[in-house]
């Protein structure tokens, strides 16, 4: 989170790293609620430094030879040899279809600073699920990030702890630039929503949005 905090600070926003919530932070309540402390989970790619899965109490082998002993797979981002790892993951779920497939970041892709895109964890995860479906094996992923509830619940709970009081959903405004992730996810939680037009959503796309993705407020910028 230090790198994100540094970028915000450089933009003039005095935000400390401990005030930023990542979708991978939601691994911790998942481990707690599912009683997974100490379980082996194979992690595909990077998952933070220090690793969010290890910080949540999971044991994280990185060797594919130990994959068959794992309770599940968590998909991180980048920096792994996709072909052997994805093939191994698909065959793992064919053998163990009830194992957990955890995808912290549901996004299909993410942009880099030079405006090219990279396939994100959500894109990799859905590819694995589609390949398994074609083979005849059904695997239901657990998504942690927007628009799914775990990240919102985690952020809401942290906000209330910081405030020292209960905060009802209607007193929270979800601000973002993505209709399907930020706005739809916020509305599903009962939050008010504000769309920024400085990101991935254009005015044209806003005019074509379905009702569950229409924000309460539209802002041209911060």
């Amino acid at each position: 989170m230090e790198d994100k905090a540094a970028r915000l600070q450089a933009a003039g926003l005095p935000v400390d790293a401990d005030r930023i919530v990542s979708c991978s932070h939601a691994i911790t309540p998942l481990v707690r609620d599912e009683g997974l402390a100490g379980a082996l989970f194979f992690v595909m790619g990077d998952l933070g430094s220090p690793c969010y899965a290890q910080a949540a109490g999971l044991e994280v082998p990185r060797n594919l030879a130990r994959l068959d002993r794992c309770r599940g797979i968590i998909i991180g981002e980048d920096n792994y040899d996709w072909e052997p790892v994805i093939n191994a993951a698909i065959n793992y779920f064919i053998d163990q279809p009830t194992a957990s497939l955890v995808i912290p970041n549901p996004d299909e892709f993410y942009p880099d600073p030079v405006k090219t895109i990279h396939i994100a964890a959500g894109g990799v995860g859905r590819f694995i699920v589609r390949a398994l479906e074609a083979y005849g094996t059904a695997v239901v992923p657990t998504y942690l990030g927007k628009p799914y509830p775990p990240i919102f619940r985690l952020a809401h709970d942290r906000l209330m702890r910081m405030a020292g009081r209960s905060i009802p959903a209607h007193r929270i405004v979800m601000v973002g630039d993505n209709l399907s992730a930020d706005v739809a996810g916020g509305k599903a939680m009962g939050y008010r929503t504000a769309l920024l037009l400085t990101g991935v959503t254009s005015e044209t796309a806003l005019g074509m949005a379905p009702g569950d993705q229409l924000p309460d407020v539209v802002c041209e910028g911060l």
Side-chain angles (χ1 to χ4, degrees), residues 42-164:
F42 186 85
V43 173
M44 299 168 58
D46 286 342
L47 200 63
S49 180
C51 174
Y52 287 101
Q54 290 176 316
L58 297 175
E59 184 178 340
V60 180
R62 293 283 184 171
N63 189 333
L64 283 175
R66 299 184 63 192
L67 178 56
D68 62 348
R69 306 177 197 172
C70 292
R71 289 275 299 273
I73 292 175
I74 303 175
I75 303 182
E77 305 288 357
D78 295 334
N79 298 322
Y80 63 101
D81 192 349
W82 284 20
E83 182 179 359
V85 174
I86 289 176
N87 283 337
I90 290 171
N91 285 288
Y92 166 82
F93 284 111
I94 289 173
D95 292 336
Q96 302 187 50
T98 60
S100 298
L101 175 59
V102 180
I103 306 175
N105 176 18
D107 293 345
E108 292 283 346
F109 62 87
Y110 64 89
D112 67 14
V114 295
K115 304 300 183 183
T116 59
I117 66 168
H118 295 256
I119 301 301
V124 174
R126 279 182 277 274
F127 173 80
I128 290 173
V129 169
R130 285 193 293 269
L132 288 166
E133 286 176 350
Y135 185 79
T137 299
V139 172
V140 180
T142 297
Y143 293 104
L144 302 181
K146 302 176 299 183
Y148 297 90
I151 184 65
F152 291 103
R153 294 193 191 111
L154 180 65
H156 195 154
D157 288 345
R158 183 175 293 192
L159 183 63
M160 290 193 293
R161 286 198 306 271
M162 292 172 61

Side-chain angles (χ1 to χ4, degrees), residues 24 31 56 73 88 111 138 178 190:
S24 294
V31 169
I73 292 175
N178 188 301

